[in-house]
Amino acid sequence: MSNYKTETKCIQSGYEPGNGEARVLPIYQSTTFRYTSSEQMGRLFDLEESGYFYTRLQNPTNDAVAAKICDLEGGVAAMLTSSGQAANFYAIMNIVEAGDHIVCASALYGGTYNLYAHTIKKMGVEATFVDPECTQEELDAAFQENTKAVFGETIANPALVVLDLEKFANAAHAHGVPFIVDNTFATPINCRPFEWGADIVTHSTTKYMDGHAACVGGAIVDSGNFDWETHKEKFPGLTTPDETYHGIVYTEKFGKGAYITKATAQLMRDLGSIQSPQNAFLLNIGLETLHLRVPRHCENAVKVAEYLKNHEKVAWVRCPSLPGDKYYDLAQKYMPNGTCGVITFGLKGGRDAAVEMMDRLKMVAIVTHVADARSCVLHPASHTHRQMNDKELVEAGVQPDLIRFSVGIENIEDIIADVEQALR
Ligand SMILES: *Cc1c(COP(=O)(O)O)cnc(C)c1O
């Protein structure tokens, strides 16, 4: 980790050219890498030596961008994935096997909910979903003998529940398992979950990190703080010989790099959800301005939330940075400089009025996206979360009338003017 401040890390971390080399991170648009000795190539395959040999496992462009994200989060190792979904899938699959169990805060992104509630279940891994506001006792009660991880989102998409990171971290550690946090909405500009006890952080880099809605991507960062060896019997994949690599033991051979090395050497090798170097290049350009964009998104979001709150046709508004919000105190504790640019609201006219208002917006577009430079809206009950029944919707913190408004970084007066004419 460098000693630079966040703003400097956004620009400088991850890539340092040598004399006469490209100043800007190059795109290594190559599937393969050349070696002059067959024996050396053999050592790479055995993980005896580090080096690039095939982009499905590692690529220099991707590694530089992963190193920047790692530095921003304050971790020890990181990897890019093809999407946020792949990041959350790998983060869990790297430490569970059929017959295992995980504990999740129930307010989750719809795709992550489907992944953990349904898809990994077919692979023999069960999830228990707990109310993010549960008591310590209720949280403890969700753990089983076979629990291997705790998962939650810093700020849930789209419920905007601010997770009590310390409460979940303490419970995870009391049960000898890591706490994995999806930090997509807060970004390391507003919150670094490792400082609050998280062990592993995931991202959909598709959102603020890219910031321009140009490429789908994900990342996993390891703090290096979870001691897999202390809980050896729970994590045989990391602490016992891997026969597919001539019996190496990841924790013995790679120490704090064990978790990311295993996810790269095993999961990427076998499942192959790599980020393309082209996308990593674009992501890196996005990261260079993350520290400028995120505060403006937050500032604009609070202004739109204040405007909506005072509007006669608006029934309710949620913005964790707005005084009076249910999660204001937790937001002040974990993200005093701002939460995110996403707010939610409902109209007095309910679900039908929501759909009509959205159709009347001119600049603010209806798109299946959040957290890019352009303001946009979405109606989760009829779009991203339409697979869920009403009970599941409520558990995920999504009311049927909820409009998700991702406030962009256009001029605030233009954003509010568009909302105003649509409401009128
Ligand atoms: C979008 C999102 C994901 C999924 O990311 P993709 O890049 O779309 O696969 C996961 N978690 C959160 C919080 C998200 O907002």
Side-chain angles (χ1 to χ4, degrees), residues 151-176:
F151 182 92
E153 294 176 6
T154 326
I155 308 171
N157 173 11
L160 301 182
V161 170
V162 176
L163 197 63
D164 189 343
L165 297 172
E166 284 186 321
K167 178 175 78 177
F168 278 78
N170 290 341
H173 297 155
H175 291 88

PDB file of all heavy atoms in Angstrom, residues 151-176:
ATOM      1  N   PHE A 151     -22.018 -11.808   4.565  1.00  0.00           N
ATOM      2  CA  PHE A 151     -21.987 -10.897   3.414  1.00  0.00           C
ATOM      3  C   PHE A 151     -22.996  -9.772   3.583  1.00  0.00           C
ATOM      4  O   PHE A 151     -24.103  -9.980   4.071  1.00  0.00           O
ATOM      5  CB  PHE A 151     -22.322 -11.683   2.133  1.00  0.00           C
ATOM      6  CG  PHE A 151     -22.268 -10.845   0.884  1.00  0.00           C
ATOM      7  CD1 PHE A 151     -21.098 -10.761   0.133  1.00  0.00           C
ATOM      8  CD2 PHE A 151     -23.379 -10.110   0.468  1.00  0.00           C
ATOM      9  CE1 PHE A 151     -21.033  -9.975  -1.009  1.00  0.00           C
ATOM     10  CE2 PHE A 151     -23.325  -9.320  -0.683  1.00  0.00           C
ATOM     11  CZ  PHE A 151     -22.145  -9.254  -1.418  1.00  0.00           C
ATOM     12  N   GLY A 152     -22.600  -8.570   3.152  1.00  0.00           N
ATOM     13  CA  GLY A 152     -23.541  -7.439   3.141  1.00  0.00           C
ATOM     14  C   GLY A 152     -23.042  -6.333   2.232  1.00  0.00           C
ATOM     15  O   GLY A 152     -21.894  -6.353   1.780  1.00  0.00           O
ATOM     16  N   GLU A 153     -23.918  -5.362   1.935  1.00  0.00           N
ATOM     17  CA  GLU A 153     -23.536  -4.212   1.109  1.00  0.00           C
ATOM     18  C   GLU A 153     -23.408  -2.973   1.997  1.00  0.00           C
ATOM     19  O   GLU A 153     -24.290  -2.729   2.828  1.00  0.00           O
ATOM     20  CB  GLU A 153     -24.606  -3.965   0.017  1.00  0.00           C
ATOM     21  CG  GLU A 153     -24.688  -5.096  -0.987  1.00  0.00           C
ATOM     22  CD  GLU A 153     -25.814  -4.930  -2.031  1.00  0.00           C
ATOM     23  OE1 GLU A 153     -26.486  -3.878  -2.061  1.00  0.00           O
ATOM     24  OE2 GLU A 153     -26.012  -5.887  -2.813  1.00  0.00           O
ATOM     25  N   THR A 154     -22.357  -2.195   1.807  1.00  0.00           N
ATOM     26  CA  THR A 154     -22.149  -0.982   2.616  1.00  0.00           C
ATOM     27  C   THR A 154     -23.409  -0.120   2.581  1.00  0.00           C
ATOM     28  O   THR A 154     -23.930   0.295   3.612  1.00  0.00           O
ATOM     29  CB  THR A 154     -20.980  -0.127   2.056  1.00  0.00           C
ATOM     30  OG1 THR A 154     -19.997  -0.976   1.512  1.00  0.00           O
ATOM     31  CG2 THR A 154     -20.392   0.757   3.115  1.00  0.00           C
ATOM     32  N   ILE A 155     -23.862   0.174   1.351  1.00  0.00           N
ATOM     33  CA  ILE A 155     -25.142   0.861   1.150  1.00  0.00           C
ATOM     34  C   ILE A 155     -25.897  -0.022   0.164  1.00  0.00           C
ATOM     35  O   ILE A 155     -25.438  -0.220  -0.956  1.00  0.00           O
ATOM     36  CB  ILE A 155     -24.973   2.256   0.506  1.00  0.00           C
ATOM     37  CG1 ILE A 155     -23.949   3.105   1.261  1.00  0.00           C
ATOM     38  CG2 ILE A 155     -26.321   2.965   0.416  1.00  0.00           C
ATOM     39  CD1 ILE A 155     -23.583   4.403   0.533  1.00  0.00           C
ATOM     40  N   ALA A 156     -27.026  -0.569   0.619  1.00  0.00           N
ATOM     41  CA  ALA A 156     -27.722  -1.547  -0.219  1.00  0.00           C
ATOM     42  C   ALA A 156     -28.360  -0.889  -1.438  1.00  0.00           C
ATOM     43  O   ALA A 156     -28.947   0.190  -1.347  1.00  0.00           O
ATOM     44  CB  ALA A 156     -28.773  -2.272   0.606  1.00  0.00           C
ATOM     45  N   ASN A 157     -28.241  -1.573  -2.578  1.00  0.00           N
ATOM     46  CA  ASN A 157     -28.845  -1.147  -3.829  1.00  0.00           C
ATOM     47  C   ASN A 157     -30.086  -1.982  -4.071  1.00  0.00           C
ATOM     48  O   ASN A 157     -29.965  -3.197  -4.219  1.00  0.00           O
ATOM     49  CB  ASN A 157     -27.850  -1.360  -4.975  1.00  0.00           C
ATOM     50  CG  ASN A 157     -28.434  -1.099  -6.360  1.00  0.00           C
ATOM     51  OD1 ASN A 157     -29.523  -0.567  -6.483  1.00  0.00           O
ATOM     52  ND2 ASN A 157     -27.686  -1.486  -7.387  1.00  0.00           N
ATOM     53  N   PRO A 158     -31.290  -1.419  -4.125  1.00  0.00           N
ATOM     54  CA  PRO A 158     -31.639  -0.001  -4.055  1.00  0.00           C
ATOM     55  C   PRO A 158     -32.231   0.431  -2.713  1.00  0.00           C
ATOM     56  O   PRO A 158     -32.718   1.551  -2.610  1.00  0.00           O
ATOM     57  CB  PRO A 158     -32.716   0.100  -5.129  1.00  0.00           C
ATOM     58  CG  PRO A 158     -33.482  -1.192  -4.966  1.00  0.00           C
ATOM     59  CD  PRO A 158     -32.470  -2.220  -4.506  1.00  0.00           C
ATOM     60  N   ALA A 159     -32.189  -0.418  -1.696  1.00  0.00           N
ATOM     61  CA  ALA A 159     -32.899  -0.094  -0.450  1.00  0.00           C
ATOM     62  C   ALA A 159     -32.247   1.063   0.307  1.00  0.00           C
ATOM     63  O   ALA A 159     -32.876   1.674   1.173  1.00  0.00           O
ATOM     64  CB  ALA A 159     -32.976  -1.334   0.437  1.00  0.00           C
ATOM     65  N   LEU A 160     -30.974   1.369  -0.009  1.00  0.00           N
ATOM     66  CA  LEU A 160     -30.225   2.431   0.662  1.00  0.00           C
ATOM     67  C   LEU A 160     -30.141   2.216   2.173  1.00  0.00           C
ATOM     68  O   LEU A 160     -30.131   3.172   2.943  1.00  0.00           O
ATOM     69  CB  LEU A 160     -30.800   3.813   0.320  1.00  0.00           C
ATOM     70  CG  LEU A 160     -30.809   4.163  -1.175  1.00  0.00           C
ATOM     71  CD1 LEU A 160     -31.345   5.573  -1.386  1.00  0.00           C
ATOM     72  CD2 LEU A 160     -29.423   4.032  -1.806  1.00  0.00           C
ATOM     73  N   VAL A 161     -30.107   0.954   2.562  1.00  0.00           N
ATOM     74  CA  VAL A 161     -29.857   0.604   3.960  1.00  0.00           C
ATOM     75  C   VAL A 161     -28.357   0.744   4.182  1.00  0.00           C
ATOM     76  O   VAL A 161     -27.566   0.206   3.413  1.00  0.00           O
ATOM     77  CB  VAL A 161     -30.265  -0.863   4.235  1.00  0.00           C
ATOM     78  CG1 VAL A 161     -29.786  -1.316   5.610  1.00  0.00           C
ATOM     79  CG2 VAL A 161     -31.763  -1.034   4.089  1.00  0.00           C
ATOM     80  N   VAL A 162     -27.970   1.505   5.192  1.00  0.00           N
ATOM     81  CA  VAL A 162     -26.548   1.603   5.540  1.00  0.00           C
ATOM     82  C   VAL A 162     -26.261   0.493   6.538  1.00  0.00           C
ATOM     83  O   VAL A 162     -26.904   0.407   7.586  1.00  0.00           O
ATOM     84  CB  VAL A 162     -26.207   2.987   6.130  1.00  0.00           C
ATOM     85  CG1 VAL A 162     -24.749   3.032   6.573  1.00  0.00           C
ATOM     86  CG2 VAL A 162     -26.492   4.088   5.115  1.00  0.00           C
ATOM     87  N   LEU A 163     -25.342  -0.371   6.180  1.00  0.00           N
ATOM     88  CA  LEU A 163     -25.074  -1.532   7.015  1.00  0.00           C
ATOM     89  C   LEU A 163     -24.245  -1.133   8.237  1.00  0.00           C
ATOM     90  O   LEU A 163     -23.294  -0.356   8.122  1.00  0.00           O
ATOM     91  CB  LEU A 163     -24.304  -2.580   6.197  1.00  0.00           C
ATOM     92  CG  LEU A 163     -24.292  -4.002   6.766  1.00  0.00           C
ATOM     93  CD1 LEU A 163     -25.694  -4.582   6.824  1.00  0.00           C
ATOM     94  CD2 LEU A 163     -23.397  -4.906   5.924  1.00  0.00           C
ATOM     95  N   ASP A 164     -24.608  -1.696   9.399  1.00  0.00           N
ATOM     96  CA  ASP A 164     -23.797  -1.479  10.595  1.00  0.00           C
ATOM     97  C   ASP A 164     -22.589  -2.412  10.492  1.00  0.00           C
ATOM     98  O   ASP A 164     -22.618  -3.558  10.942  1.00  0.00           O
ATOM     99  CB  ASP A 164     -24.640  -1.765  11.847  1.00  0.00           C
ATOM    100  CG  ASP A 164     -23.901  -1.344  13.110  1.00  0.00           C
ATOM    101  OD1 ASP A 164     -22.659  -1.152  13.045  1.00  0.00           O
ATOM    102  OD2 ASP A 164     -24.568  -1.213  14.156  1.00  0.00           O
ATOM    103  N   LEU A 165     -21.549  -1.912   9.852  1.00  0.00           N
ATOM    104  CA  LEU A 165     -20.392  -2.753   9.519  1.00  0.00           C
ATOM    105  C   LEU A 165     -19.771  -3.398  10.753  1.00  0.00           C
ATOM    106  O   LEU A 165     -19.420  -4.590  10.729  1.00  0.00           O
ATOM    107  CB  LEU A 165     -19.336  -1.930   8.774  1.00  0.00           C
ATOM    108  CG  LEU A 165     -19.760  -1.344   7.417  1.00  0.00           C
ATOM    109  CD1 LEU A 165     -18.689  -0.400   6.880  1.00  0.00           C
ATOM    110  CD2 LEU A 165     -20.031  -2.453   6.404  1.00  0.00           C
ATOM    111  N   GLU A 166     -19.634  -2.644  11.833  1.00  0.00           N
ATOM    112  CA  GLU A 166     -18.991  -3.212  13.031  1.00  0.00           C
ATOM    113  C   GLU A 166     -19.809  -4.356  13.623  1.00  0.00           C
ATOM    114  O   GLU A 166     -19.248  -5.372  14.037  1.00  0.00           O
ATOM    115  CB  GLU A 166     -18.766  -2.116  14.084  1.00  0.00           C
ATOM    116  CG  GLU A 166     -17.600  -1.218  13.719  1.00  0.00           C
ATOM    117  CD  GLU A 166     -17.254  -0.220  14.811  1.00  0.00           C
ATOM    118  OE1 GLU A 166     -18.180   0.320  15.447  1.00  0.00           O
ATOM    119  OE2 GLU A 166     -16.051   0.027  15.015  1.00  0.00           O
ATOM    120  N   LYS A 167     -21.121  -4.198  13.622  1.00  0.00           N
ATOM    121  CA  LYS A 167     -21.984  -5.262  14.172  1.00  0.00           C
ATOM    122  C   LYS A 167     -21.806  -6.569  13.381  1.00  0.00           C
ATOM    123  O   LYS A 167     -21.619  -7.643  13.976  1.00  0.00           O
ATOM    124  CB  LYS A 167     -23.452  -4.812  14.135  1.00  0.00           C
ATOM    125  CG  LYS A 167     -24.438  -5.854  14.637  1.00  0.00           C
ATOM    126  CD  LYS A 167     -25.869  -5.310  14.689  1.00  0.00           C
ATOM    127  CE  LYS A 167     -26.523  -5.267  13.332  1.00  0.00           C
ATOM    128  NZ  LYS A 167     -27.930  -4.812  13.378  1.00  0.00           N
ATOM    129  N   PHE A 168     -21.802  -6.459  12.061  1.00  0.00           N
ATOM    130  CA  PHE A 168     -21.665  -7.656  11.230  1.00  0.00           C
ATOM    131  C   PHE A 168     -20.246  -8.224  11.284  1.00  0.00           C
ATOM    132  O   PHE A 168     -20.056  -9.445  11.289  1.00  0.00           O
ATOM    133  CB  PHE A 168     -22.111  -7.369   9.787  1.00  0.00           C
ATOM    134  CG  PHE A 168     -23.597  -7.452   9.610  1.00  0.00           C
ATOM    135  CD1 PHE A 168     -24.416  -6.411  10.021  1.00  0.00           C
ATOM    136  CD2 PHE A 168     -24.190  -8.586   9.079  1.00  0.00           C
ATOM    137  CE1 PHE A 168     -25.807  -6.496   9.889  1.00  0.00           C
ATOM    138  CE2 PHE A 168     -25.574  -8.689   8.944  1.00  0.00           C
ATOM    139  CZ  PHE A 168     -26.378  -7.641   9.345  1.00  0.00           C
ATOM    140  N   ALA A 169     -19.248  -7.335  11.355  1.00  0.00           N
ATOM    141  CA  ALA A 169     -17.858  -7.806  11.437  1.00  0.00           C
ATOM    142  C   ALA A 169     -17.641  -8.561  12.748  1.00  0.00           C
ATOM    143  O   ALA A 169     -17.046  -9.646  12.763  1.00  0.00           O
ATOM    144  CB  ALA A 169     -16.891  -6.631  11.333  1.00  0.00           C
ATOM    145  N   ASN A 170     -18.138  -7.994  13.844  1.00  0.00           N
ATOM    146  CA  ASN A 170     -17.965  -8.648  15.145  1.00  0.00           C
ATOM    147  C   ASN A 170     -18.614 -10.021  15.178  1.00  0.00           C
ATOM    148  O   ASN A 170     -18.032 -10.989  15.694  1.00  0.00           O
ATOM    149  CB  ASN A 170     -18.547  -7.775  16.271  1.00  0.00           C
ATOM    150  CG  ASN A 170     -17.712  -6.521  16.497  1.00  0.00           C
ATOM    151  OD1 ASN A 170     -16.546  -6.477  16.091  1.00  0.00           O
ATOM    152  ND2 ASN A 170     -18.297  -5.511  17.106  1.00  0.00           N
ATOM    153  N   ALA A 171     -19.820 -10.110  14.610  1.00  0.00           N
ATOM    154  CA  ALA A 171     -20.524 -11.399  14.612  1.00  0.00           C
ATOM    155  C   ALA A 171     -19.749 -12.416  13.773  1.00  0.00           C
ATOM    156  O   ALA A 171     -19.562 -13.566  14.181  1.00  0.00           O
ATOM    157  CB  ALA A 171     -21.940 -11.227  14.067  1.00  0.00           C
ATOM    158  N   ALA A 172     -19.270 -11.978  12.604  1.00  0.00           N
ATOM    159  CA  ALA A 172     -18.522 -12.896  11.732  1.00  0.00           C
ATOM    160  C   ALA A 172     -17.294 -13.416  12.480  1.00  0.00           C
ATOM    161  O   ALA A 172     -17.038 -14.632  12.518  1.00  0.00           O
ATOM    162  CB  ALA A 172     -18.101 -12.182  10.446  1.00  0.00           C
ATOM    163  N   HIS A 173     -16.549 -12.509  13.081  1.00  0.00           N
ATOM    164  CA  HIS A 173     -15.298 -12.907  13.735  1.00  0.00           C
ATOM    165  C   HIS A 173     -15.543 -13.758  14.979  1.00  0.00           C
ATOM    166  O   HIS A 173     -14.776 -14.678  15.264  1.00  0.00           O
ATOM    167  CB  HIS A 173     -14.465 -11.661  14.058  1.00  0.00           C
ATOM    168  CG  HIS A 173     -14.067 -10.917  12.804  1.00  0.00           C
ATOM    169  ND1 HIS A 173     -13.767  -9.580  12.776  1.00  0.00           N
ATOM    170  CD2 HIS A 173     -13.970 -11.352  11.511  1.00  0.00           C
ATOM    171  CE1 HIS A 173     -13.479  -9.221  11.522  1.00  0.00           C
ATOM    172  NE2 HIS A 173     -13.611 -10.281  10.744  1.00  0.00           N
ATOM    173  N   ALA A 174     -16.637 -13.480  15.690  1.00  0.00           N
ATOM    174  CA  ALA A 174     -16.964 -14.302  16.855  1.00  0.00           C
ATOM    175  C   ALA A 174     -17.243 -15.746  16.437  1.00  0.00           C
ATOM    176  O   ALA A 174     -17.061 -16.674  17.222  1.00  0.00           O
ATOM    177  CB  ALA A 174     -18.177 -13.719  17.579  1.00  0.00           C
ATOM    178  N   HIS A 175     -17.678 -15.928  15.175  1.00  0.00           N
ATOM    179  CA  HIS A 175     -17.957 -17.277  14.678  1.00  0.00           C
ATOM    180  C   HIS A 175     -16.842 -17.798  13.779  1.00  0.00           C
ATOM    181  O   HIS A 175     -17.026 -18.803  13.065  1.00  0.00           O
ATOM    182  CB  HIS A 175     -19.305 -17.304  13.952  1.00  0.00           C
ATOM    183  CG  HIS A 175     -20.464 -17.109  14.883  1.00  0.00           C
ATOM    184  ND1 HIS A 175     -20.950 -15.862  15.225  1.00  0.00           N
ATOM    185  CD2 HIS A 175     -21.204 -17.999  15.593  1.00  0.00           C
ATOM    186  CE1 HIS A 175     -21.952 -15.997  16.081  1.00  0.00           C
ATOM    187  NE2 HIS A 175     -22.130 -17.279  16.321  1.00  0.00           N
ATOM    188  N   GLY A 176     -15.721 -17.103  13.756  1.00  0.00           N
ATOM    189  CA  GLY A 176     -14.548 -17.606  13.037  1.00  0.00           C
ATOM    190  C   GLY A 176     -14.659 -17.611  11.522  1.00  0.00           C
ATOM    191  O   GLY A 176     -14.088 -18.469  10.855  1.00  0.00           O
TER     192      GLY A 176
END
